[in-house]
Amino acid sequence: MMNRRPLIAGNWKMNGLSTGGLALATGIAAKRKAAPDVPCDLLICPPFTLISDVAKAVAGSGIAVGGQDCHAKVSGAHTGDIAAEMLKDVGCSHVIVGHSERRTDHGETDAIVKAKAGAALAAGLAAVICIGETLAQREAGETFAVNRAQLAGSLPDGATAANVVIAYEPVWAIGTGRVATPDQAQEVHAVIRAALQERLGAAEAGAMRILYGGSMKPDNARELLGLPDVDGGLIGGASLKVEDFWAIASASA
Ligand code: PGA
């Protein structure tokens, strides 16, 4: 098995005002500085309004900062949208694309997600591409097919292990407290890796990180992060508390 360094990513979603957001970022940076040997990479994805300040607050800590979405176009008449280059400009190295909440709330299709991921790569950002089945799809026995199809449709040309991270987030596990069992997570991650291998070859597929997301918490992180094809976590609720986020990062050791 390849030696993939875990990535522990916090997705703050639409949470955080300046004071609390900065305190959260500086708290995480302090934990990282006090324990630089914890063997994982850290990424935090605040709302757009906090990115610039958070990037300054964590500068020098080794913590990466990402956006939660970007537009597929480079610039232009797209009121309310943010281009990948703008994220890069304020200190981002990553951007999440295709989160299930974007797919649901904003009707984002695989084709749109692919275009956004391509725009991220073109701007020099790494794309964290989210896929995952709904409960109805799981109960209909469509889990593997749905994830394969979303992956095939969302992965941009030029994807490599250096510029793309996949996040498997079963929709029924997001924000519900209902976490995938280790068996459920591992089998889908293995299917995703096999699909990546068909598309990108063994070397890139073996090196690409596949994160699990959906109710990852301090008390279930160690088991999930210990699975052979789980290379980190995309964490929502538990990324909003310094202690919880750090406990998850520490569980990657
Ligand atoms: P959750 O969210 O950890 O709150 O379930 C995960 C995500 O949506 O990225």
Side-chain angles (χ1 to χ4, degrees), residues 3-241:
N3 196 13
R4 294 178 294 268
R5 184 170 162 92
L7 173 64
I8 305 298
N11 173 13
W12 294 4
K13 308 192 178 183
M14 196 171 71
N15 294 293
L17 300 177
S18 44
T19 310
L22 270 186
L24 179 54
T26 47
I28 294 164
K31 293 281 189 192
R32 169 90 273 184
K33 279 185 190 149
D37 295 339
V38 171
C40 66
D41 293 334
L42 292 179
L43 167 66
I44 50 186
C45 301
F48 291 134
T49 48
L50 294 182
I51 287 173
S52 187
D53 285 349
V54 165
K56 286 180 195 131
V58 304
S61 69
I63 298 173
V65 179
Q68 299 174 12
D69 177 50
C70 67
H71 197 274
K73 294 268 164 54
V74 177
S75 64
H78 303 286
T79 302
D81 280 312
I82 300 283
E85 189 183 23
M86 295 171 177
L87 296 175
K88 175 115 179 162
D89 188 44
V90 288
C92 289
S93 54
H94 291 67
V95 61
I96 299 169
V97 291
H99 190 280
S100 66
E101 288 152 14
R102 302 268 340 155
R103 292 178 185 261
T104 303
D105 294 356
H106 301 275
E108 294 189 6
T109 61
D110 290 335
I112 291 172
V113 175
K114 179 178 180 177
K116 290 182 172 201
L121 269 45
L125 297 178
V128 180
I129 302 173
C130 303
I131 59 174
E133 81 286 356
T134 64
L135 186 59
Q137 290 166 330
R138 174 164 282 272
E139 286 174 344
E142 296 166 4
T143 296
F144 294 170
V146 166
N147 281 285
R148 273 200 209 97
Q150 285 187 7
L151 182 69
S154 306
L155 197 66
D157 296 338
T160 69
N163 63 22
V164 165
V165 174
I166 305 298
Y168 167 57
E169 299 207 303
V171 177
W172 47 271
I174 296 175
T176 59
R178 183 174 167 192
V179 67
T181 65
D183 285 351
Q184 287 172 329
Q186 171 55 30
E187 67 177 2
V188 179
H189 280 239
V191 163
I192 293 168
R193 190 155 333 263
L196 289 171
Q197 182 161 339
E198 280 168 31
R199 172 98 170 247
L200 304 174
E204 292 301 329
M208 190 173 283
R209 292 186 282 198
I210 307 175
L211 313 185
Y212 169 80
S215 297
M216 188 181 274
K217 309 281 179 210
D219 65 0
N220 59 32
R222 188 170 298 277
E223 199 173 24
L224 289 162
L225 295 172
L227 297 168
D229 285 295
V230 174
D231 311 313
L234 182 55
I235 298 129
S239 74
L240 298 173
K241 288 192 185 134

